């Protein structure tokens, strides 16, 4: 009769072979897709019936390189891009009535304490990066998570997002961080 060590070794080798065989079979199957996007809730969405478009989550080709915040005017979307060119987060935004021109900017000022925006809404996590005809343009989120449409005729430069996205942009967008605005 073989020694107990031989039996244990044989059983261990057999178990490892079985696990490897199962892993190889599992690797041949379909893989779940992981989305990078984080979207605001349907209640806060500007068009709750709209289906997300996969192409809208790809980082725009014309957005430069390096660590940056990318804002697409056409897609109403922001990307937080790290130094390795990976999109750490992307999300939909609700712009005000004054848009910045496409180009490269830098975060010039940050204000974390809640204040009242030019539209009368309490906002926080304000990240300023330019001004257009005397109107400051900045990313922010409403303290209560809402995103009401700008008042008729009001000139507002706030680019609003959900509270979770506002917190992420606040953490990412330190003073001096590049902001690239694309059409």
């Amino acid at each position: 009769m073989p020694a107990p060590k031989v039996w244990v070794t044989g059983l261990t080798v057999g178990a490892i072979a079985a696990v490897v065989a199962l892993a190889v079979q599992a690797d041949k199957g379909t893989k779940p897709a992981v989305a990078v996007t984080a979207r605001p809730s349907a209640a806060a969405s500007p068009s709750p019936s709209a289906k997300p478009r996969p192409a809208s989550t790809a980082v725009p080709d014309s957005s430069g390189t390096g660590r940056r915040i990318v804002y697409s005017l056409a897609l109403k979307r922001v990307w937080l891009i790290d130094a390795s060119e990976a999109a750490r987060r992307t999300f939909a935004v609700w712009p005000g009535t004054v848009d910045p021109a496409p180009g490269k900017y830098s975060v010039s000022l940050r204000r974390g304490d809640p204040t009242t925006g030019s539209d009368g809404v309490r906002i926080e996590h304000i990240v300023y990066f330019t001004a257009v005809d005397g109107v400051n343009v900045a990313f922010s989120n409403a303290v209560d998570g809402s995103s009401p449409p700008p008042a008729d005729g009001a000139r507002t430069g706030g680019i609003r997002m959900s509270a979770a996205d506002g917190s992420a942009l606040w953490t990412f967008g330190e003073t001096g961080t590049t902001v690239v605005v694309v059409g």
Side-chain angles (χ1 to χ4, degrees):
M1 183 160 148
K5 289 182 183 178
V6 173
W7 278 100
V8 171
T9 302
L11 288 174
T12 302
V13 168
I16 291 172
V19 169
V20 168
L22 290 172
V24 168
Q25 284 180 348
D27 192 46
K28 292 179 182 175
T30 59
K31 316 270 184 309
V34 178
V36 177
T37 62
R39 292 186 338 216
S41 69
S45 176
S47 55
S49 63
K51 301 272 189 222
R53 296 173 296 173
S56 69
T57 60
V59 179
D61 291 332
S62 59
S63 70
T65 59
R67 188 177 186 282
R68 65 200 181 280
I69 299 168
V70 177
Y71 171 43
S72 170
L73 298 168
L75 297 176
K76 298 179 183 173
R77 179 165 287 278
V78 167
W79 292 261
L80 306 179
I81 311 296
D82 67 19
S84 70
E85 294 297 315
R88 290 180 51 189
R89 188 179 187 112
T90 183
F91 46 88
V93 295
W94 303 279
T97 59
V98 176
D99 288 330
K104 187 175 178 180
Y105 304 89
S106 292
V107 171
S108 55
L109 179 67
R110 295 166 21 109
R111 182 172 179 173
D113 296 331
T115 189
T116 301
S118 59
D119 58 359
V121 174
R122 294 286 292 164
I123 58 175
E124 64 185 350
H125 298 128
I126 309 159
V127 177
Y128 295 92
F129 63 94
T130 192
V132 176
D133 296 328
V135 176
N136 288 319
V137 179
F139 300 109
S140 65
N141 65 269
V143 172
D144 67 3
S146 69
S147 189
D152 288 335
R155 291 178 40 85
T156 60
I159 302 163
R160 297 285 169 76
M161 59 205 64
S162 73
D165 294 330
S167 180
L169 190 138
W170 171 260
T171 301
F172 186 86
E174 301 165 346
T175 302
T177 299
T178 299
V179 177
V180 179
V181 178
V182 297

